[in-house]
Amino acid sequence: MAMIKCPECGQEISDKAKKCVHCGVRVKKRNTKKLVIIFSIIFVLLIAGVGGGLIAYKSHQEKITAEYKTCINETVKLITDSSMDLEQTGTFIHEVWNNAIEQVLNDATDKYTLKNQKPQKGASFEEAWAWLGGDNFNDYNTALQNLFSDEMFVEQIDKIKNQKKKIEANMQKLKDVPKGQEEEYETIKEYYNVYISFVTHITDVNGSLQSWTNTYNDTDSNLKSSYEKVKTYITK
């Protein structure tokens, strides 16, 4: 038998007593079994809540990682596609530049390199001879100015610049790196930085043909090397 205190007078009484022997107040018994059930339910709910929270957190993190990988895939594809346009554009710039210096006739570049367009088929011998004896080639600066003011070429440069804007927007998203994706981010950032250098080199031409070509070749090579690194993180 255990002793408890009367809730009314504070005197000790038996825990089995229905009334206090000192003051006569009826003693209410605590329903221990009911309390155990209540606490058990609370404990189960707490465990379920914690477990559910952990599952929800894990699911959220998996979703973030999946979205990040999708953004990586999209960004790599955008850079790769834009790089192909850059290579095509750079090759044509070199062709115009070289043909103006070397005074080479070429149907694709004549409209930029020639002051006077060559005689058309059916022209007289005198017209052809006079043209050959004249100063018909622009200097390379003029040839490049003609190229960069050509409507179709301007459209190509604008396309490259718009591609660059999309890629820059994606790179901003990728700055928020999920845990465990740091290596992927650093690798794609390297690919992006080389790409930006390539865009600048193609859209802002300067220097001599030789120095420009050397930089073009080096940048193109670096871009391909960076792609080899980043493609290992691309999911199919």
Side-chain angles (χ1 to χ4, degrees):
M1 180 181 70
M3 301 299 288
I4 60 173
K5 286 187 177 183
C6 172
E8 180 65 27
C9 67
Q11 296 292 324
E12 288 190 346
I13 59 174
S14 170
D15 64 347
K16 303 295 184 182
K18 295 181 179 180
K19 292 183 178 181
C20 176
V21 296
H22 303 290
C23 67
V25 172
R26 190 174 184 82
V27 179
K28 294 182 179 179
K29 301 282 183 74
R30 296 172 68 183
N31 193 335
T32 307
K33 186 177 180 180
K34 185 177 180 181
L35 288 175
V36 170
I37 293 172
I38 291 172
F39 281 119
S40 297
I41 292 172
I42 292 173
F43 179 75
V44 170
L45 290 175
L46 284 173
I47 294 298
V50 171
L54 289 173
I55 292 171
Y57 176 77
K58 184 179 179 182
S59 176
H60 179 65
Q61 289 302 113
E62 287 175 349
K63 181 181 178 182
I64 289 175
T65 300
E67 289 175 349
Y68 195 81
K69 287 183 179 294
T70 299
C71 192
I72 285 178
N73 285 0
E74 180 183 304
T75 306
V76 170
K77 186 178 186 307
L78 285 171
I79 293 176
T80 304
D81 290 346
S82 184
S83 297
M84 293 174 65
D85 289 333
L86 286 167
E87 288 178 347
Q88 182 181 11
T89 304
T91 298
F92 193 62
I93 290 172
H94 180 275
E95 192 173 4
V96 170
W97 200 338
N98 179 74
N99 288 355
I101 292 173
E102 299 296 332
Q103 299 192 349
V104 175
L105 293 175
N106 182 294
D107 289 340
T109 63
D110 285 346
K111 65 184 291 188
Y112 312 111
T113 60
L114 295 180
K115 295 178 183 176
N116 308 305
Q117 294 302 307
K118 59 188 176 183
Q120 300 299 310
K121 186 177 180 179
S124 66
F125 175 79
E126 288 78 9
E127 289 174 328
W129 185 259
W131 185 85
L132 287 171
D135 179 18
N136 298 306
F137 280 87
N138 290 312
D139 61 82
Y140 72 87
N141 283 318
T142 302
L144 290 175
Q145 287 173 6
N146 291 341
L147 175 63
F148 274 83
S149 60
D150 180 73
E151 184 176 349
M152 290 186 64
F153 191 78
V154 168
E155 288 180 1
Q156 179 65 15
I157 294 296
D158 286 343
K159 178 184 176 183
I160 290 170
K161 290 179 177 179
N162 287 332
Q163 289 169 335
K164 176 173 170 279
K165 288 179 181 178
K166 291 180 181 178
I167 292 165
E168 287 173 334
N170 271 27
M171 288 303 298
Q172 283 297 319
K173 295 178 185 177
L174 290 175
K175 280 185 176 181
D176 189 11
V177 187
K179 187 177 181 180
Q181 304 294 122
E182 295 83 3
E183 187 175 336
E184 287 90 330
Y185 175 69
E186 290 302 322
T187 306
I188 195 172
K189 188 168 75 170
E190 177 187 334
Y191 189 40
Y192 167 75
N193 288 337
V194 179
Y195 162 75
I196 292 297
S197 297
F198 205 12
V199 172
T200 301
H201 190 64
I202 296 301
T203 58
D204 185 19
V205 175
N206 55 67
S208 67
L209 176 59
Q210 185 63 51
S211 65
W212 185 88
T213 302
N214 289 341
T215 302
Y216 172 90
N217 290 335
D218 289 344
T219 307
D220 191 37
S221 177
N222 290 338
L223 197 65
K224 288 180 171 64
S225 297
S226 295
Y227 175 73
E228 289 301 313
K229 295 178 185 178
V230 82
K231 74 177 183 179
T232 59
Y233 299 113
I234 302 173
T235 54
K236 304 298 182 184

